[in-house]
Amino acid sequence: MTEKYDVVIIGGGPAGLTAGLYASRARLNSLLIEKGLVGGQVANAGRVENYPGFPEGISGLELGQLMHQQATRFGLKTLLAEATGIELQEGQKVIRTTEGDFIAKAVIIASGSERQKLGVPGEEKFTGKGVSYCATCDAAFFREQPVAVVGGGDAAITEALHLAKFASTVTVIHRRDQLRASRILQEKAFSQSKIEFRWDSIVEKIEGGDLVKRIRLCEVKTGEESALEVAGVFVSIGLKPNTDYLKGILPLDANGLIITDEKMEAKRPGIFAAGDIRHNSARQAITAAGDGATAAIYAEKFISK
Ligand SMILES: Cc1cc2nc3c(=O)[nH]c(=O)nc-3n(C[C@H](O)[C@H](O)[C@H](O)COP(=O)(O)OP(=O)(O)OC[C@H]3O[C@@H](n4cnc5c(N)ncnc54)[C@H](O)[C@@H]3O)c2cc1C
């Protein structure tokens, strides 16, 4: 028999876990489905210094575990499985997963987005040890140290401008000879004395000991190779929202992110979205948690209607 829930939450990052806390504490019969590590992306953060309530900071892994513990205390059930689709039926939603189907009155989608990776040697090894995908999260760890930003779009240049407040130098590495970022961001970057550019260049390798020490670059037009000494490499070459299983069910923006209203409701009644998967998300643990709380509160109102 297919198990029935009031709310099914897809994704066990800060958004999903907070939605789970609010939903289960509101005495809704709630199931959270997670395909990987409970805690989500924040579990990859060595130290989180900007989540309120932890004045000394906290390891990302521990933060995720505490969130899960807190939600579980109020009755949230967790299933380790991958959601593969949602079917809208009269008055209910069927959630298809690798561990079977589930029925819910409301669904909260919190399956996050993944940063595009460079796919070069050293990237995985040094993630959290100099390689970062989030300047807002990690810039403060690189005070007065040289860093590189890889990318040339709005996100990359915004990261570079933020990093310039902390780092000694910021080298933007871009595979083309001009930026894709908006004109205003370009003007700001060109007038910031700490920001330098390596045009027509790609990162071939990231090297170091315990932490990043340098990157190996290749100039694409000439094939010339060089090394750049940096303590940090911020990769900003795009996002891949985890929305493949939602195609055809929900309208997505041009980047594949879910459009919601201020109640976090997507364009289908009883389907909510929270966190990094949402159009215009600030992509922080605290904003994801806030979205999750909002989504659960309005999911409860939807169910009781
Ligand atoms: C290395 C690193 C460091 C960071 N540091 C900080 C920091 O210091 N401060 C800060 O505020 N933010 C930080 N962030 C950003 C923060 O982690 C994210 O903004 C936050 O985790 C987003 O939460 P979320 O719940 O929306 O999504 P996620 O955390 O991405 O969680 C989504 C979850 O959904 C699961 N999932 C995806 N698809 C499916 C599916 N089909 N079925 C089931 N489950 C699925 C994923 O496995 C994942 O666990 C950092 C991110 C990274 C990568």
Side-chain angles (χ1 to χ4, degrees):
M1 230 195 36
T2 313
E3 282 178 39
K4 289 189 178 177
Y5 288 89
D6 293 320
V7 182
V8 165
I9 299 156
I10 302 172
L17 290 168
T18 310
L21 167 66
Y22 274 72
S24 53
R25 197 164 174 272
R27 299 193 188 281
L28 297 175
N29 185 18
S30 313
L31 174 72
L32 181 139
I33 298 168
E34 167 57 52
K35 71 168 182 180
L37 180 69
V38 173
Q41 283 191 65
V42 86
N44 297 318
R47 197 117 202 111
V48 178
E49 294 190 326
N50 55 3
Y51 197 90
F54 301 97
E56 304 304 322
I58 180 168
S59 93
L61 189 63
E62 197 186 347
L63 180 61
Q65 286 168 345
L66 288 174
M67 285 182 183
H68 188 222
Q69 208 177 308
Q70 192 174 358
T72 304
R73 184 158 86 84
F74 294 102
L76 178 71
K77 291 188 196 124
T78 304
L79 173 79
L80 292 180
E82 180 172 356
T84 52
I86 300 176
E87 202 179 293
L88 306 180
Q89 292 180 354
E90 194 61 37
Q92 62 181 22
K93 284 99 193 150
V94 179
I95 300 94
R96 310 228 180 266
T97 83
T98 47
E99 297 292 323
D101 295 350
F102 299 86
I103 289 174
K105 294 174 186 162
V107 178
I108 298 175
I109 298 164
S111 46
S113 299
E114 282 164 25
R115 270 77 174 169
Q116 299 274 20
K117 304 272 173 10
L118 288 169
V120 299
E123 182 178 21
E124 211 178 308
K125 175 177 170 194
F126 291 111
T127 294
K129 295 171 184 161
V131 173
S132 171
Y133 301 85
C134 174
T136 314
C137 314
D138 297 332
F141 297 120
F142 295 89
R143 279 176 207 279
E144 298 309 320
Q145 299 185 73
V147 300
V149 171
V150 188
D154 279 352
I157 300 309
T158 305
E159 301 270 87
L161 288 164
H162 183 66
L163 280 159
K165 295 178 198 157
F166 300 87
S168 54
T169 56
V170 181
T171 307
V172 175
I173 295 152
H174 189 38
R175 62 192 165 138
R176 301 188 208 286
D177 59 6
Q178 54 184 345
L179 299 173
R180 270 185 298 109
S182 63
R183 186 63 55 195
I184 182 134
L185 282 174
Q186 292 196 29
E187 282 168 12
K188 282 187 186 168
F190 292 140
S191 62
Q192 164 56 263
S193 59
K194 280 192 190 173
I195 300 182
E196 298 163 7
F197 293 87
R198 286 283 185 103
W199 303 109
D200 297 313
S201 296
I202 55 169
V203 177
E204 292 209 306
K205 201 172 179 190
I206 301 169
E207 296 178 339
D210 290 338
L211 301 171
V212 167
K213 284 195 178 137
R214 75 188 70 78
I215 49 180
R216 301 255 169 216
L217 301 174
C218 176
E219 221 271 17
V220 286
K221 286 184 179 156
T222 61
E224 194 183 318
E225 299 197 336
S226 62
L228 181 70
E229 300 291 316
V230 288
V233 187
F234 286 79
V235 181
S236 189
I237 55 171
L239 269 183
K240 189 189 169 302
N242 295 320
T243 45
D244 286 353
Y245 65 100
L246 298 171
K247 297 233 164 83
I249 299 160
L250 282 182
L252 306 173
D253 75 5
N255 297 314
L257 295 157
I258 302 174
I259 301 161
T260 64
D261 60 16
E262 70 282 2
K263 298 175 189 164
M264 304 301 137
E265 195 163 23
K267 302 267 174 190
R268 301 279 177 271
I271 299 203
F272 298 81
D276 282 17
I277 202 158
R278 215 166 60 74
H279 172 77
N280 269 347
S281 160
R283 293 194 200 103
Q284 291 292 288
I286 186 64
T287 56
D291 283 1
T294 306
I297 288 167
Y298 284 101
E300 187 200 358
K301 288 188 197 303
F302 171 82
I303 289 167
S304 60
K305 246 197 281 177

